[in-house]
Amino acid sequence: MKTAKPWSKTTEPSSYDQIYRYFEQVLEECLEFINEFENDYYQGITSSLTSPPKIQSSKQSVSVNALIAWSRPLNELRNARSLHDIRNGKTIRDLLSEARAGTLAESVSEDSCHLMQRILDTTNEHLYSKIPILTNKIADCMNLMQQYFLSFYDIENIQDIIQKKKKEKLPDQYVETAYTYEKSRWLHIFHVNKSLKILREMQQRVEDSKGIVLSSLSRECQELAVRCDCTSLSYVFALPESYIEARRAVVALRTWLLDDTKYTSFIQTSLKVLDEKYAEAKKMFEIGKAHLSQAEHRANSFRIQLSKVEQENETNEKKVDELGVRLENKERDYLSKRLTYEVYEDQLKKMLKEADNRDDTLNNHLSIERFQQEIRQFSKELPKLKAQMEALQGRLEFFKQRKQELLALRAECRKMDHELQLAFEDKILKENELNRVINCRQTIRNIYKCRATNDLPQKIFYSLPVKSKLPGESTNDDLSKAIRIVAKYIGRDWSRLYWNLPFYPMRGKEEVSKDINSIDDKYHRGDVFRDQAIDSLGKWRRFHTRAKLDDLMQGLRSINRLDILQIIDRRIIKPKHSMNDDQEEIDPRKREIEDLNRKLNRLFEKIHTGAITTHETYVYSKIGLDPLQPVRKHRPLVMH
């Protein structure tokens, strides 16, 4: 099986698995360094004691056994000077100086002084040589992880939220996976930076006047100090605190590494859930939309019917007034004729009764006939008037009934308007939910598209600044100088040069054309050609992982810009060759031999003049004049 191509931060990665293996290896190396440093601190110093501790237990950790062994002699040394606590290096150096001078109030053993000296030396060695290397390695690992392990989800004011300077705004539940990873990502960075800050400040703390205060250390160190009776020996916990913080940083990076390996699969699961939510929300939205459409149709039909009834009611209102007047007139006429009819009837009865008693029947007879005629006339008119009144009352009742129907229609219309409003609000809510799911789905889909793409590591790699990929280079290297020269003199030929420059990995014609178009559209003022040339050559240097001066010169030859090649040759290549020739001419070994011959000649002159009367022979070394054992015979020195 073909072995996987190794990857580091200066080479092109081919996949995230390759990056994960690299970080696992680096973090494992960091843990090995920590274990090695810790073992050197505890076991290396303890093994130098002439009297090993009597209390040894395989169940106890190395740190506990070592600190128990150190506790008695160190406390003895501290008590000899009546110190409350040993916190900084200056206190230890003064204490050891007084112990060697014998000015301490109490006598102390050589083992105590030797142990304290070893702790001081080891602490300084670790803090000034080993811990910085480990700190830089962890920092480089974190910075590289920060560049590659991206969530593609932005949280506003995330650093203030992590440091609890601002209140956290809970995200939408559908993007909680991306939010949680981005927050945990910044939490890991925050905790690692916090540990790195402690590691970097430890050098200053051990020499500060305040020194190492036990209460400011981690809970593990405080518990260890109490357990081993070292609560008054804060200085010895400077390195244990560094080891603890370094392990915390490595654990945080390992947790972050594990989270990143799972992040893509979690995003894929969230996307599947959102697809189901989208189908459900779309279905509910369609139902709400149909319900609203039906409610609008019913309401519109009802409004049309109500409008007709309203118009009819306006007409009926006028008719009601007219009919009311007519009914009043009819009632008044009917009542008048009715009363007259009743009076005439009474009068007729009286006249008939009187007619029987009177003799003047002729006049009486005429009056009776007139009353009878009037009564008959009223008998005919009264039913007609009553019928007319009933007809008018019937029409008025009909109009009243239509009025009640209109009021009922208005109430029903208000009810339907309320239902329409509820249907509209329900539709808006379902539409908002659908839009919410669509937005979250699009966000998660874009994240998954970025995370699941095969060329994401390469895209991140090529987007990094040049100095992060090639740490040995600076802005004053030969290629950077040549780029500045080319940008100054290339003019409008910058695009032709970009077409003819080599790329590794290969870059297609379409991508090169897009690069040129984007650069061409970016600059419109100032020294346009120079800015375009600098931008294009910077882009080429990022995309071409093996960029060197020869590649740039080859591109210039391809477009026949020999004038620029002559300038590069005159300003960069020839001065470099002449410098190399000067270095070859001045051989350091030859200079050393000449210097030695001069010293030997001066020695012979002193022997001949009698300045040196001894018969000792001297040899010159790098550290001075070293005497050898005297010889009886002088052998002539041969000059080479």
Side-chain angles (χ1 to χ4, degrees), residues 463-517:
S463 66
L464 298 178
V466 176
K467 62 182 181 181
S468 67
K469 293 190 293 184
L470 303 173
E473 294 184 354
S474 64
T475 56
N476 204 33
D477 63 299
D478 291 344
L479 182 57
S480 300
K481 293 178 182 177
I483 286 176
R484 289 195 290 270
I485 292 173
V486 171
K488 183 177 180 181
Y489 296 103
I490 192 67
R492 64 178 68 253
D493 286 337
W494 67 268
S495 58
R496 291 177 55 226
L497 175 62
Y498 194 75
W499 274 110
N500 288 274
L501 288 173
F503 284 95
Y504 181 82
M506 292 295 294
R507 194 160 176 81
K509 293 183 179 180
E510 186 176 341
E511 294 173 327
V512 173
S513 178
K514 287 181 179 179
D515 293 342
I516 292 175
N517 291 334

Side-chain angles (χ1 to χ4, degrees), residues 362-463:
L362 180 60
N363 294 331
N364 195 19
H365 181 69
L366 291 174
S367 299
I368 290 173
E369 285 183 357
R370 189 171 61 249
F371 276 107
Q372 287 177 345
Q373 185 179 358
E374 289 291 335
I375 290 173
R376 284 195 297 270
Q377 184 65 29
F378 283 132
S379 299
K380 291 178 181 179
E381 291 179 358
L382 285 174
K384 290 180 180 179
L385 286 173
K386 189 174 183 180
Q388 291 175 358
M389 289 170 52
E390 290 177 352
L392 290 173
Q393 288 177 350
R395 292 192 67 184
L396 288 173
E397 288 294 332
F398 171 75
F399 289 147
K400 185 185 288 187
Q401 183 180 357
R402 292 297 291 175
K403 180 74 173 181
Q404 295 296 326
E405 291 177 0
L406 175 62
L407 295 176
L409 285 174
R410 287 175 178 174
E412 187 68 21
C413 187
R414 288 194 294 270
K415 182 179 178 182
M416 294 191 72
D417 287 340
H418 181 66
E419 291 178 356
L420 178 62
Q421 182 66 25
L422 292 178
F424 179 74
E425 292 176 357
D426 183 63
K427 181 252 184 185
I428 293 296
L429 290 174
K430 290 177 179 177
E431 185 178 12
N432 291 338
E433 178 66 16
L434 177 62
N435 291 332
R436 171 193 170 200
V437 173
I438 289 174
N439 292 334
C440 294
R441 181 168 170 253
Q442 187 64 35
T443 301
I444 297 297
R445 180 174 286 179
N446 291 336
I447 292 173
Y448 182 72
K449 184 178 179 181
C450 293
R451 290 283 307 188
T453 183
N454 293 327
D455 59 348
L456 176 61
Q458 289 87 347
K459 287 181 179 179
I460 296 175
F461 178 77
Y462 293 135
S463 66

Side-chain angles (χ1 to χ4, degrees), residues 331-388:
E331 287 179 344
R332 194 165 45 249
D333 191 18
Y334 177 80
L335 183 60
S336 175
K337 289 182 178 182
R338 175 85 180 185
L339 291 174
T340 304
Y341 174 75
E342 291 177 354
V343 170
Y344 282 5
E345 277 190 341
D346 291 341
Q347 190 66 28
L348 181 60
K349 289 179 181 179
K350 289 180 180 180
M351 291 179 69
L352 289 174
K353 188 176 181 181
E354 291 176 356
D356 293 339
N357 299 325
R358 291 182 180 180
D359 294 336
D360 190 5
T361 56
L362 180 60
N363 294 331
N364 195 19
H365 181 69
L366 291 174
S367 299
I368 290 173
E369 285 183 357
R370 189 171 61 249
F371 276 107
Q372 287 177 345
Q373 185 179 358
E374 289 291 335
I375 290 173
R376 284 195 297 270
Q377 184 65 29
F378 283 132
S379 299
K380 291 178 181 179
E381 291 179 358
L382 285 174
K384 290 180 180 179
L385 286 173
K386 189 174 183 180
Q388 291 175 358

Side-chain angles (χ1 to χ4, degrees), residues 584-615:
E584 289 177 1
E585 290 177 0
I586 304 174
D587 188 358
R589 184 62 181 168
K590 184 178 179 180
R591 186 184 302 168
E592 184 180 349
I593 293 172
E594 291 176 353
D595 186 46
L596 180 60
N597 286 333
R598 284 194 300 271
K599 291 178 180 179
L600 289 173
N601 289 331
R602 285 198 298 269
L603 177 62
F604 288 141
E605 289 177 1
K606 290 180 180 180
I607 292 174
H608 289 305
T609 57
I612 298 178
T613 58
T614 178
H615 294 287

Side-chain angles (χ1 to χ4, degrees), residues 81 86-97 116-117 119-121 123-124 127-128 202-212 234-236 238:
R81 200 185 175 196
I86 298 178
R87 295 183 177 181
N88 54 34
K90 183 178 181 303
T91 303
I92 295 176
R93 288 189 290 271
D94 294 343
L95 182 60
L96 292 175
S97 298
M116 183 58 80
Q117 185 66 50
I119 292 174
L120 179 65
D121 294 341
T123 301
N124 289 332
L127 290 180
Y128 287 94
M202 194 58 71
Q203 293 180 7
Q204 182 180 357
R205 289 176 65 184
V206 296
E207 295 298 333
D208 191 72
S209 58
K210 185 178 180 181
I212 302 296
S234 305
Y235 181 86
V236 300

Side-chain angles (χ1 to χ4, degrees), residues 547-564:
K548 54 185 181 296
L549 180 59
D550 292 340
D551 295 334
L552 181 59
M553 297 178 70
Q554 178 185 345
L556 291 170
R557 291 190 193 96
S558 301
I559 62 172
N560 294 321
R561 290 302 301 263
L562 303 181
D563 56 331
I564 301 178

Side-chain angles (χ1 to χ4, degrees), residues 515-534:
D515 293 342
I516 292 175
N517 291 334
S518 64
I519 294 172
D520 196 20
D521 294 338
K522 190 186 298 184
Y523 301 98
H524 301 285
R525 294 182 180 178
D527 195 349
V528 177
F529 294 143
R530 183 171 184 173
D531 294 337
Q532 290 173 336
I534 290 175

